[in-house]
C-alpha cells in the first residue's frame, strides 16, 4: 500500500515537471521567434529607406529636368534721378577713406530697355570689400532686387565694381520670375547714376512682350521718354513698384 502511494506521488511529480518544461519550451520558442523577427526588421527598414531615397532623388531629377534651359535676354536701365536719397553711405569702418565693412544701401528707379516704360525700382545693399585707389574705385559685394510691379521681382548677388563691368548671379525671383536662375551683366555708364543691365534668364516661361522692347544702346546721354519719367498712364508696368 505504501509502495502504491509512493508511485502515485512520483507520477504526479513527473507530470508536473513535464508540464513546466513544456511551458518553458513554449516561451523559449516564442522568444526565439520574436528575436528572429527583430533581427530581420532593420534590413526591412534599410530597404525602405533606400526606396524612399531613390524616390526623392528621382523626384528631384524630374523636377530639375522640367525647368526650362532656354536663355531669355532682358534689358533694364537703372537711373538715379537724385530724388530718393540714394545711395546712403554708412562709414562703419570709421576711417576717412572707403574701407572694408562700409555699407551702401540704395534704391533707384528702373526702366525697360527701350526706355519707354517705368518698370519699378532696385532695392538693396553693397558691402565694401576693397578700396582700389589705383583703379580709382571700389569693389563691393552686392545683394539686391529688381522690382517689376505685378510681374514680380528678380534677386541678384555678386561683385559690384565702380570702375568696370561685372556679372552677378540671379538667385531667384517671384511672380513670373519664380524659379528663375542665370546671370546678369552690370554695365556702369556713369557711376552711380546710370547703369545698364543685361539679364540672361533660365527656368521660367516666355517673358511678356512688354518687357522685351528693343533696347536703346547704352550711352551717357540716354534718358527715359518724358511719359515714362513722369509715370504717365500707358508708360509704366502694371502697378509698378515706386
Amino acid at each position: 500500500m505504501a509502495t502504491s502511494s509512493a508511485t502515485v506521488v512520483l507520477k504526479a511529480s513527473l507530470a508536473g515537471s513535464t508540464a513546466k518544461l513544456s511551458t518553458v519550451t513554449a516561451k523559449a520558442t516564442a522568444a526565439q521567434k520574436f528575436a528572429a523577427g527583430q533581427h530581420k526588421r532593420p534590413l526591412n527598414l534599410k530597404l525602405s529607406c533606400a526606396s524612399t531615397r531613390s524616390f526623392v532623388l528621382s523626384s528631384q531629377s524630374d523636377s530639375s529636368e522640367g525647368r526650362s534651359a532656354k536663355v531669355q535676354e532682358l534689358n533694364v536701365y537703372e537711373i538715379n534721378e537724385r530724388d530718393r536719397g540714394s545711395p546712403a553711405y554708412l562709414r562703419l569702418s570709421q576711417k576717412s577713406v572707403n574701407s572694408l565693412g562700409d555699407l551702401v544701401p540704395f534704391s533707384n528707379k528702373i526702366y525697360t530697355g527701350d526706355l519707354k516704360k517705368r518698370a519699378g525700382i532696385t532695392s538693396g545693399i553693397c558691402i565694401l570689400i576693397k578700396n582700389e585707389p589705383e583703379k580709382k574705385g571700389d569693389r563691393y559685394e552686392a545683394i539686391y532686387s529688381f522690382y517689376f510691379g505685378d510681374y514680380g521681382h528678380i534677386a541678384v548677388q555678386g561683385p559690384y565694381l565702380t570702375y568696370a563691368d561685372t556679372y552677378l548671379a540671379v538667385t531667384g525671383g517671384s511672380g513670373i520670375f519664380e524659379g528663375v536662375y542665370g546671370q546678369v551683366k552690370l554695365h556702369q555708364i556713369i557711376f552711380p547714376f546710370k547703369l545698364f543691365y543685361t539679364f540672361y534668364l533660365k527656368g521660367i516661361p516666355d517673358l511678356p512682350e512688354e518687357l522685351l522692347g528693343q533696347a536703346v544702346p547704352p550711352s551717357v546721354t540716354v534718358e527715359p521718354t518724358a511719359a515714362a519719367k513722369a509715370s504717365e498712364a500707358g508708360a509704366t508696368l502694371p502697378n509698378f513698384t515706386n
Side-chain angles (χ1 to χ4, degrees), residues 74 78 106 122-126 141-148 153-160 166-173 180-186 197-201:
L74 172 66
E78 179 183 16
F106 66 94
T122 54
S123 176
I125 191 167
C126 288
E141 178 70 13
I143 305 168
Y144 58 115
S145 295
F146 295 75
Y147 289 91
F148 297 89
H153 87 287
I154 299 173
V156 304
Q157 180 175 352
Y160 183 112
T166 58
Y167 284 86
L168 297 89
V170 173
T171 58
V180 72
Y181 64 104
Q183 61 180 345
V184 58
K185 180 182 179 181
L186 181 163
Y197 295 89
T198 304
F199 288 87
Y200 301 97
L201 305 175

Side-chain angles (χ1 to χ4, degrees):
M1 198 68 173
T3 302
S4 177
S5 297
T7 301
V8 170
V9 171
L10 180 59
K11 287 182 177 180
S13 177
L14 289 173
S17 298
T18 301
K20 289 181 180 178
L21 181 60
S22 298
T23 301
V24 171
T25 302
K27 288 182 178 179
T29 302
Q32 289 173 350
K33 289 182 178 180
F34 179 77
Q38 290 296 311
H39 176 72
K40 293 178 181 178
R41 196 167 293 175
L43 177 60
N44 293 334
L45 285 175
K46 288 181 180 178
L47 290 174
S48 176
C49 290
S51 299
T52 301
R53 183 170 179 273
S54 175
F55 173 76
V56 170
L57 291 176
S58 177
S59 298
Q60 290 175 342
S61 176
D62 293 344
S63 175
S64 177
E65 290 174 0
R67 300 174 73 185
S68 173
K70 174 183 177 181
V71 179
Q72 299 186 69
E73 191 171 311
L74 172 66
N75 296 301
V76 173
Y77 274 97
E78 179 183 16
I79 299 179
N80 184 336
E81 297 177 352
R82 300 170 177 81
D83 59 351
R84 300 178 66 85
S86 174
Y89 201 95
L90 308 179
R91 200 173 289 282
L92 300 187
S93 65
Q94 299 183 347
K95 296 180 180 179
S96 58
V97 297
N98 296 352
S99 301
L100 177 66
D102 290 347
L103 303 180
V104 186
F106 66 94
S107 178
N108 299 311
K109 296 176 181 178
I110 59 173
Y111 295 87
T112 53
D114 57 10
L115 290 169
K116 293 180 180 179
K117 290 193 175 184
R118 170 75 186 281
I121 63 170
T122 54
S123 176
I125 191 167
C126 288
I127 306 165
L128 196 139
I129 303 301
K130 186 181 181 183
N131 173 247
E132 300 185 299
E134 69 281 3
K135 297 179 180 178
K136 299 180 180 180
D138 297 305
R139 170 181 287 274
Y140 291 89
E141 178 70 13
I143 305 168
Y144 58 115
S145 295
F146 295 75
Y147 289 91
F148 297 89
D150 285 350
Y151 288 126
H153 87 287
I154 299 173
V156 304
Q157 180 175 352
Y160 183 112
L161 307 182
T162 63
Y163 52 83
D165 295 350
T166 58
Y167 284 86
L168 297 89
V170 173
T171 58
S174 65
I176 67 170
F177 305 108
E178 181 181 2
V180 72
Y181 64 104
Q183 61 180 345
V184 58
K185 180 182 179 181
L186 181 163
H187 173 56
Q188 293 279 5
I189 302 173
I190 306 173
F191 171 79
F193 302 110
K194 196 172 291 185
L195 300 90
F196 181 71
Y197 295 89
T198 304
F199 288 87
Y200 301 97
L201 305 175
K202 301 178 184 179
I204 55 174
D206 290 348
L207 294 170
E209 290 296 324
E210 187 173 23
L211 298 177
L212 302 176
Q214 181 64 42
V216 175
S219 73
V220 295
T221 59
V222 295
E223 291 292 338
T225 63
K229 198 166 186 176
S231 302
E232 295 179 0
T236 69
L237 297 186
N239 293 317
F240 72 95
T241 311
N242 194 10

